[in-house]
Amino acid sequence: AVALVPLAAGAGKEQLLNVCMDAKHHKSRPGPEGKLYEQCSPWKDNACCTANTSLEAHRDQSYLYNFNWNHCGVMPPKCKRHFIQDTCLYECSPNLGPWIQQADSSWRRERILHVPLCREDCEEWWQDCKDALTCKDNWHKGWNWATGTNRCPWGSECRPFHRVFPRPQDLCEKIWSGSFRLSPERRGSGRCIQMWFDPARGNPNAAVARHYA
C-alpha cells in the first residue's frame, strides 16, 4: 500500500497538467490549432481555445461574453492589449490546472483562482492602463446588463485606473475576483505564470504548472 502512494500522487499531479477548464468556450482537451489570431498565437501548438475564440478575443465587444472594454470611453490601445492578452491566457492556456477551482456560475463550471502572475506582467499592465478610465474594481459582477452588454452601474463614476487600483497588485488581484495574485517572482524564474512569451522559445508556463502541481 505504501508503494502505491507515490503512484497515486503522481497520477493526481498529471491530472493538473495539460488540461482545459470546464468553462464557456474552452475545448474539452488541449491540442494544436492551425492558426490562432495575433496575441493568442503563442498557444497555437497546444491550445484550449479554437481559432474563432482567439479572433473574438480581439474584438472590442465580442460574442464571447458581450463584454465592452469601452464602458468609460475608448480604452487606449496600449491598455487594451493587456486585456486581450489576459483573455488569450484564460481561453487558450493548457497550463492553469493547479489553479482551477469549481465555480458556482451559470456560464461556467470551473474558474481559476490565485494564479501567480509574474511581477513584470502585472506592473506593465498597471503602467499601461493607469490613465484609462473605469467605474468598477471588480469586473466579474455588478454591471448594468439592461442593454445586453455591460454598462456602469447607476450612480457610479468613471475614474482613472490609478485611482480605482492604486497599486499594480490591486489591479491584478481585484479585477477578476482573485483570479490572479501578484507573484514576487519574475519572468524566467519558473515560479510564475507569464501572460506574454515568445513561442519560439517554448511555453515557459508548462514548467510553472509542473512546479505547483
Side-chain angles (χ1 to χ4, degrees):
V2 174
L4 293 176
V5 171
L7 290 174
K13 179 174 180 174
E14 289 305 313
Q15 289 174 358
L16 298 177
L17 301 175
N18 199 39
V19 296
C20 301
M21 71 184 97
D22 186 355
K24 190 172 183 180
H25 299 291
H26 289 69
K27 291 164 26 177
S28 59
R29 57 176 56 90
E33 288 290 325
K35 192 169 186 180
L36 293 185
Y37 192 69
E38 290 191 3
Q39 286 180 236
C40 294
S41 62
W43 287 275
K44 67 181 177 59
D45 291 339
N46 193 35
C48 286
C49 62
T50 63
N52 198 45
T53 295
S54 75
L55 176 63
E56 289 293 323
H58 290 73
R59 298 193 192 281
D60 282 346
Q61 188 172 335
S62 79
Y63 81 83
L64 294 180
Y65 304 101
N66 289 328
F67 195 90
N68 181 16
W69 303 124
N70 304 321
H71 53 267
C72 276
V74 177
M75 180 182 280
K78 68 176 183 178
C79 174
K80 188 178 297 177
R81 72 190 188 103
H82 290 275
F83 283 97
I84 292 171
Q85 200 66 38
D86 164 43
T87 303
C88 288
L89 176 72
Y90 173 80
E91 300 289 351
C92 302
S93 177
N95 309 123
L96 300 175
W99 304 280
I100 291 176
Q101 304 276 334
Q102 295 297 306
D104 183 17
S105 171
S106 61
W107 53 277
R108 60 179 181 179
R109 293 186 177 183
E110 293 180 333
R111 60 162 297 185
I112 48 173
L113 189 66
H114 301 156
V115 174
L117 192 63
C118 292
R119 175 172 289 278
E120 299 98 320
D121 290 72
C122 186
E123 290 174 345
E124 290 172 14
W125 191 358
W126 185 86
Q127 188 65 36
D128 287 343
C129 291
K130 69 180 192 298
D131 297 321
L133 299 176
T134 187
C135 53
K136 287 175 50 55
D137 65 353
N138 185 338
W139 289 13
H140 259 155
K141 54 189 178 183
W143 295 100
N144 172 7
W145 288 95
T147 60
T149 187
N150 58 302
R151 297 174 70 179
C152 291
W154 296 112
S156 63
E157 175 191 2
C158 289
R159 298 181 295 153
F161 267 55
H162 66 81
R163 288 179 55 200
V164 178
F165 307 105
R167 304 168 300 160
Q169 182 174 6
D170 297 316
L171 169 61
C172 295
E173 296 186 356
K174 290 181 178 180
I175 197 161
W176 299 126
S177 308
S179 293
F180 296 115
R181 67 173 177 82
L182 172 62
S183 172
E185 303 291 346
R186 298 196 171 273
R187 292 179 195 153
S189 64
R191 299 291 183 269
C192 61
I193 291 291
Q194 297 179 205
M195 281 209 301
W196 310 81
F197 63 88
D198 178 359
R201 299 183 179 183
N203 182 347
N205 294 334
V208 178
R210 186 166 285 105
H211 170 76
Y212 284 98

